[in-house]
Amino acid sequence: MHAIVYHGPGRKAWEEVPKPMLQADTDAIVKVDTVTICGTDLHILKGDVAAVTDGRILGHEAVGTVEQVGSGVKNVKVGDHVLVSCITACGACRYCRDGSYGQCIGGGGWILGHKIDGTQAEYVRVPFADTSTYAVPAGVTDEEVLMLADIGPTGYEVGVLNGRVRPGDVVAVVGAGPVGLSAIMGAKLFSPAHVVAIDLADARLEAAKQFGADITVNPSREDAVDIVRGLTDGLGADVAIEAVGVAATFEQCATLVRPGGTVANVGVHGGPATLHLEDLWIKNVTITTGLVDTYSTPTLLRLLATHQVDLARFVTHRFALGDFMQAYDTFADAAQTRALKVVLTA
Ligand SMILES: [Zn+2]
Ligand SMILES: [Zn+2]
């Protein structure tokens, strides 16, 4: 079969590799029908994720058809159409028993396209298939469901739910890439008073409006803190969601939040940021961090199936599986191509 194989920083190829085989009786082999590329894959290709080694097949998001299951798999059957989640869950360890699948210590967590071969391939081996896949509901498209492999639950759990967004809140979202847009969409489910999207790219601010932000701020022209304080009697945002992953945007969130509010960090950081405790200690501010657990995936699938959320609008570009290298170029050059999510179909 063919797959996107990582060969060290800056090097990848769509090349012939052996088809995966069952390794444990809880595994499934899934034929990949639709697959996408994550910002995290670009981080890996920059060499930011040391655990990914030469020869690894990338990718942690897919919708596919189950081709083979191990003898220990009970709920998933050959021919089932399933969402392959970015998080694998053993289902039995301390963290999985707590719903914290992202922290699984029983062999799961974020392993696909990281510690084991991933989904950017014609076939993928999915460990713990019973607890790591979700049935695709009737009446929705593969590409809509694919948005729930990672970005949907990440924006919702790590941004909106960790941030404790409540009705009437003023929510500031710093970074309007796919995960920031997912956080905006998720925040809207709680009827906030305002959602303020902050990004340096005007194209992304336009997208943020389509996803439900009522106020957009480009910090190259406007002062986000002034605008948010103007909406909140000078106090600041109830919730500030960081969806970029650099020091400046984290520090901006700590400035945007009101006393008693929450900073929810979603961004993947590759370096340190300054925590201004000399300002924050007196403000009763809560700061949360997290890797997605995907405990909200069943909820989001129900919201999708009943058309309470529109996930199709994330998809800006479509490719055939064989054009994977071109899809990477399009996704990596989002400033020019205005790509949000690119979808490849077998
Ligand atoms: Zn991802
Ligand atoms: Zn576990």
Side-chain angles (χ1 to χ4, degrees), residues 99-120:
S100 303
Y101 313 116
Q103 303 298 323
C104 176
I105 50 174
W110 173 38
I111 56 172
L112 287 171
H114 181 206
K115 296 172 180 168
I116 67 169
D117 285 337
T119 56
Q120 290 171 5

PDB file of all heavy atoms in Angstrom, residues 99-120:
ATOM      1  N   GLY A  99     -12.111   8.832  32.070  1.00  0.00           N
ATOM      2  CA  GLY A  99     -12.454   9.563  30.848  1.00  0.00           C
ATOM      3  C   GLY A  99     -11.323  10.404  30.294  1.00  0.00           C
ATOM      4  O   GLY A  99     -11.507  11.132  29.325  1.00  0.00           O
ATOM      5  N   SER A 100     -10.144  10.304  30.895  1.00  0.00           N
ATOM      6  CA  SER A 100      -8.981  11.101  30.449  1.00  0.00           C
ATOM      7  C   SER A 100      -8.148  10.283  29.466  1.00  0.00           C
ATOM      8  O   SER A 100      -6.967   9.994  29.718  1.00  0.00           O
ATOM      9  CB  SER A 100      -8.133  11.518  31.651  1.00  0.00           C
ATOM     10  OG  SER A 100      -8.905  12.247  32.574  1.00  0.00           O
ATOM     11  N   TYR A 101      -8.774   9.921  28.347  1.00  0.00           N
ATOM     12  CA  TYR A 101      -8.125   8.994  27.408  1.00  0.00           C
ATOM     13  C   TYR A 101      -6.821   9.539  26.850  1.00  0.00           C
ATOM     14  O   TYR A 101      -5.924   8.771  26.510  1.00  0.00           O
ATOM     15  CB  TYR A 101      -9.082   8.657  26.257  1.00  0.00           C
ATOM     16  CG  TYR A 101     -10.459   8.291  26.726  1.00  0.00           C
ATOM     17  CD1 TYR A 101     -11.560   9.079  26.401  1.00  0.00           C
ATOM     18  CD2 TYR A 101     -10.670   7.166  27.515  1.00  0.00           C
ATOM     19  CE1 TYR A 101     -12.835   8.752  26.844  1.00  0.00           C
ATOM     20  CE2 TYR A 101     -11.933   6.835  27.965  1.00  0.00           C
ATOM     21  CZ  TYR A 101     -13.013   7.642  27.630  1.00  0.00           C
ATOM     22  OH  TYR A 101     -14.257   7.328  28.074  1.00  0.00           O
ATOM     23  N   GLY A 102      -6.715  10.853  26.743  1.00  0.00           N
ATOM     24  CA  GLY A 102      -5.485  11.447  26.203  1.00  0.00           C
ATOM     25  C   GLY A 102      -4.266  11.110  27.051  1.00  0.00           C
ATOM     26  O   GLY A 102      -3.139  11.086  26.559  1.00  0.00           O
ATOM     27  N   GLN A 103      -4.507  10.842  28.336  1.00  0.00           N
ATOM     28  CA  GLN A 103      -3.402  10.529  29.260  1.00  0.00           C
ATOM     29  C   GLN A 103      -3.249   9.025  29.471  1.00  0.00           C
ATOM     30  O   GLN A 103      -2.553   8.591  30.396  1.00  0.00           O
ATOM     31  CB  GLN A 103      -3.643  11.218  30.614  1.00  0.00           C
ATOM     32  CG  GLN A 103      -3.812  12.731  30.533  1.00  0.00           C
ATOM     33  CD  GLN A 103      -2.569  13.419  29.997  1.00  0.00           C
ATOM     34  OE1 GLN A 103      -1.445  13.027  30.290  1.00  0.00           O
ATOM     35  NE2 GLN A 103      -2.768  14.450  29.181  1.00  0.00           N
ATOM     36  N   CYS A 104      -3.902   8.215  28.646  1.00  0.00           N
ATOM     37  CA  CYS A 104      -3.881   6.742  28.807  1.00  0.00           C
ATOM     38  C   CYS A 104      -2.465   6.224  29.057  1.00  0.00           C
ATOM     39  O   CYS A 104      -1.524   6.565  28.346  1.00  0.00           O
ATOM     40  CB  CYS A 104      -4.453   6.096  27.543  1.00  0.00           C
ATOM     41  SG  CYS A 104      -4.376   4.288  27.547  1.00  0.00           S
ATOM     42  N   ILE A 105      -2.352   5.379  30.086  1.00  0.00           N
ATOM     43  CA  ILE A 105      -1.039   4.757  30.383  1.00  0.00           C
ATOM     44  C   ILE A 105      -1.075   3.254  30.116  1.00  0.00           C
ATOM     45  O   ILE A 105      -0.184   2.516  30.530  1.00  0.00           O
ATOM     46  CB  ILE A 105      -0.595   5.043  31.843  1.00  0.00           C
ATOM     47  CG1 ILE A 105      -1.719   4.705  32.826  1.00  0.00           C
ATOM     48  CG2 ILE A 105      -0.144   6.493  32.003  1.00  0.00           C
ATOM     49  CD1 ILE A 105      -1.313   4.817  34.300  1.00  0.00           C
ATOM     50  N   GLY A 106      -2.114   2.816  29.398  1.00  0.00           N
ATOM     51  CA  GLY A 106      -2.227   1.390  29.078  1.00  0.00           C
ATOM     52  C   GLY A 106      -1.897   1.083  27.624  1.00  0.00           C
ATOM     53  O   GLY A 106      -2.304   0.052  27.096  1.00  0.00           O
ATOM     54  N   GLY A 107      -1.153   1.983  26.985  1.00  0.00           N
ATOM     55  CA  GLY A 107      -0.763   1.748  25.592  1.00  0.00           C
ATOM     56  C   GLY A 107      -1.482   2.648  24.600  1.00  0.00           C
ATOM     57  O   GLY A 107      -1.245   2.564  23.395  1.00  0.00           O
ATOM     58  N   GLY A 108      -2.373   3.534  25.107  1.00  0.00           N
ATOM     59  CA  GLY A 108      -3.084   4.445  24.210  1.00  0.00           C
ATOM     60  C   GLY A 108      -2.592   5.871  24.355  1.00  0.00           C
ATOM     61  O   GLY A 108      -1.417   6.109  24.582  1.00  0.00           O
ATOM     62  N   GLY A 109      -3.534   6.840  24.248  1.00  0.00           N
ATOM     63  CA  GLY A 109      -3.170   8.260  24.219  1.00  0.00           C
ATOM     64  C   GLY A 109      -3.009   8.697  22.773  1.00  0.00           C
ATOM     65  O   GLY A 109      -3.578   8.090  21.860  1.00  0.00           O
ATOM     66  N   TRP A 110      -2.244   9.752  22.552  1.00  0.00           N
ATOM     67  CA  TRP A 110      -1.947  10.113  21.162  1.00  0.00           C
ATOM     68  C   TRP A 110      -0.788   9.242  20.700  1.00  0.00           C
ATOM     69  O   TRP A 110       0.362   9.506  21.032  1.00  0.00           O
ATOM     70  CB  TRP A 110      -1.582  11.604  21.018  1.00  0.00           C
ATOM     71  CG  TRP A 110      -1.128  11.905  19.618  1.00  0.00           C
ATOM     72  CD1 TRP A 110      -1.642  11.373  18.457  1.00  0.00           C
ATOM     73  CD2 TRP A 110      -0.037  12.742  19.210  1.00  0.00           C
ATOM     74  NE1 TRP A 110      -0.953  11.830  17.365  1.00  0.00           N
ATOM     75  CE2 TRP A 110       0.039  12.670  17.796  1.00  0.00           C
ATOM     76  CE3 TRP A 110       0.863  13.547  19.897  1.00  0.00           C
ATOM     77  CZ2 TRP A 110       0.993  13.382  17.066  1.00  0.00           C
ATOM     78  CZ3 TRP A 110       1.830  14.260  19.159  1.00  0.00           C
ATOM     79  CH2 TRP A 110       1.876  14.171  17.767  1.00  0.00           C
ATOM     80  N   ILE A 111      -1.106   8.173  19.999  1.00  0.00           N
ATOM     81  CA  ILE A 111      -0.076   7.262  19.491  1.00  0.00           C
ATOM     82  C   ILE A 111      -0.063   7.210  17.962  1.00  0.00           C
ATOM     83  O   ILE A 111       0.998   7.083  17.360  1.00  0.00           O
ATOM     84  CB  ILE A 111      -0.208   5.832  20.087  1.00  0.00           C
ATOM     85  CG1 ILE A 111      -1.592   5.236  19.830  1.00  0.00           C
ATOM     86  CG2 ILE A 111       0.097   5.851  21.582  1.00  0.00           C
ATOM     87  CD1 ILE A 111      -1.704   3.756  20.225  1.00  0.00           C
ATOM     88  N   LEU A 112      -1.236   7.348  17.323  1.00  0.00           N
ATOM     89  CA  LEU A 112      -1.300   7.246  15.853  1.00  0.00           C
ATOM     90  C   LEU A 112      -0.486   8.368  15.204  1.00  0.00           C
ATOM     91  O   LEU A 112      -0.643   9.546  15.539  1.00  0.00           O
ATOM     92  CB  LEU A 112      -2.752   7.335  15.374  1.00  0.00           C
ATOM     93  CG  LEU A 112      -3.635   6.113  15.627  1.00  0.00           C
ATOM     94  CD1 LEU A 112      -5.091   6.438  15.292  1.00  0.00           C
ATOM     95  CD2 LEU A 112      -3.159   4.914  14.809  1.00  0.00           C
ATOM     96  N   GLY A 113       0.364   8.000  14.279  1.00  0.00           N
ATOM     97  CA  GLY A 113       1.190   8.995  13.589  1.00  0.00           C
ATOM     98  C   GLY A 113       2.181   9.672  14.514  1.00  0.00           C
ATOM     99  O   GLY A 113       2.701  10.754  14.208  1.00  0.00           O
ATOM    100  N   HIS A 114       2.465   9.055  15.644  1.00  0.00           N
ATOM    101  CA  HIS A 114       3.340   9.618  16.671  1.00  0.00           C
ATOM    102  C   HIS A 114       4.265   8.502  17.165  1.00  0.00           C
ATOM    103  O   HIS A 114       5.438   8.459  16.810  1.00  0.00           O
ATOM    104  CB  HIS A 114       2.452  10.189  17.795  1.00  0.00           C
ATOM    105  CG  HIS A 114       3.174  10.838  18.926  1.00  0.00           C
ATOM    106  ND1 HIS A 114       2.645  10.919  20.187  1.00  0.00           N
ATOM    107  CD2 HIS A 114       4.387  11.437  18.994  1.00  0.00           C
ATOM    108  CE1 HIS A 114       3.491  11.543  20.984  1.00  0.00           C
ATOM    109  NE2 HIS A 114       4.558  11.874  20.283  1.00  0.00           N
ATOM    110  N   LYS A 115       3.663   7.568  17.923  1.00  0.00           N
ATOM    111  CA  LYS A 115       4.457   6.436  18.432  1.00  0.00           C
ATOM    112  C   LYS A 115       4.265   5.177  17.608  1.00  0.00           C
ATOM    113  O   LYS A 115       5.086   4.264  17.675  1.00  0.00           O
ATOM    114  CB  LYS A 115       4.097   6.181  19.885  1.00  0.00           C
ATOM    115  CG  LYS A 115       4.468   7.361  20.781  1.00  0.00           C
ATOM    116  CD  LYS A 115       3.940   7.177  22.181  1.00  0.00           C
ATOM    117  CE  LYS A 115       4.326   8.364  23.054  1.00  0.00           C
ATOM    118  NZ  LYS A 115       3.604   8.351  24.331  1.00  0.00           N
ATOM    119  N   ILE A 116       3.136   5.103  16.884  1.00  0.00           N
ATOM    120  CA  ILE A 116       2.911   3.995  15.947  1.00  0.00           C
ATOM    121  C   ILE A 116       2.458   4.592  14.613  1.00  0.00           C
ATOM    122  O   ILE A 116       2.143   5.775  14.524  1.00  0.00           O
ATOM    123  CB  ILE A 116       1.843   2.987  16.465  1.00  0.00           C
ATOM    124  CG1 ILE A 116       0.453   3.631  16.519  1.00  0.00           C
ATOM    125  CG2 ILE A 116       2.241   2.421  17.833  1.00  0.00           C
ATOM    126  CD1 ILE A 116      -0.679   2.628  16.766  1.00  0.00           C
ATOM    127  N   ASP A 117       2.417   3.749  13.569  1.00  0.00           N
ATOM    128  CA  ASP A 117       2.050   4.239  12.245  1.00  0.00           C
ATOM    129  C   ASP A 117       0.623   4.777  12.232  1.00  0.00           C
ATOM    130  O   ASP A 117      -0.264   4.241  12.900  1.00  0.00           O
ATOM    131  CB  ASP A 117       2.209   3.122  11.206  1.00  0.00           C
ATOM    132  CG  ASP A 117       3.684   2.873  10.879  1.00  0.00           C
ATOM    133  OD1 ASP A 117       4.502   3.793  11.082  1.00  0.00           O
ATOM    134  OD2 ASP A 117       4.005   1.759  10.418  1.00  0.00           O
ATOM    135  N   GLY A 118       0.426   5.854  11.456  1.00  0.00           N
ATOM    136  CA  GLY A 118      -0.831   6.595  11.483  1.00  0.00           C
ATOM    137  C   GLY A 118      -1.727   6.367  10.282  1.00  0.00           C
ATOM    138  O   GLY A 118      -1.614   5.356   9.566  1.00  0.00           O
ATOM    139  N   THR A 119      -2.589   7.358  10.066  1.00  0.00           N
ATOM    140  CA  THR A 119      -3.747   7.213   9.174  1.00  0.00           C
ATOM    141  C   THR A 119      -3.522   7.724   7.754  1.00  0.00           C
ATOM    142  O   THR A 119      -4.400   7.545   6.914  1.00  0.00           O
ATOM    143  CB  THR A 119      -4.935   7.998   9.755  1.00  0.00           C
ATOM    144  OG1 THR A 119      -4.530   9.366   9.939  1.00  0.00           O
ATOM    145  CG2 THR A 119      -5.400   7.432  11.079  1.00  0.00           C
ATOM    146  N   GLN A 120      -2.397   8.379   7.494  1.00  0.00           N
ATOM    147  CA  GLN A 120      -2.175   8.935   6.152  1.00  0.00           C
ATOM    148  C   GLN A 120      -1.643   7.828   5.253  1.00  0.00           C
ATOM    149  O   GLN A 120      -0.493   7.831   4.807  1.00  0.00           O
ATOM    150  CB  GLN A 120      -1.246  10.148   6.222  1.00  0.00           C
ATOM    151  CG  GLN A 120      -1.968  11.330   6.893  1.00  0.00           C
ATOM    152  CD  GLN A 120      -1.077  12.509   7.201  1.00  0.00           C
ATOM    153  OE1 GLN A 120       0.106  12.531   6.840  1.00  0.00           O
ATOM    154  NE2 GLN A 120      -1.624  13.514   7.875  1.00  0.00           N
TER     155      GLN A 120
END
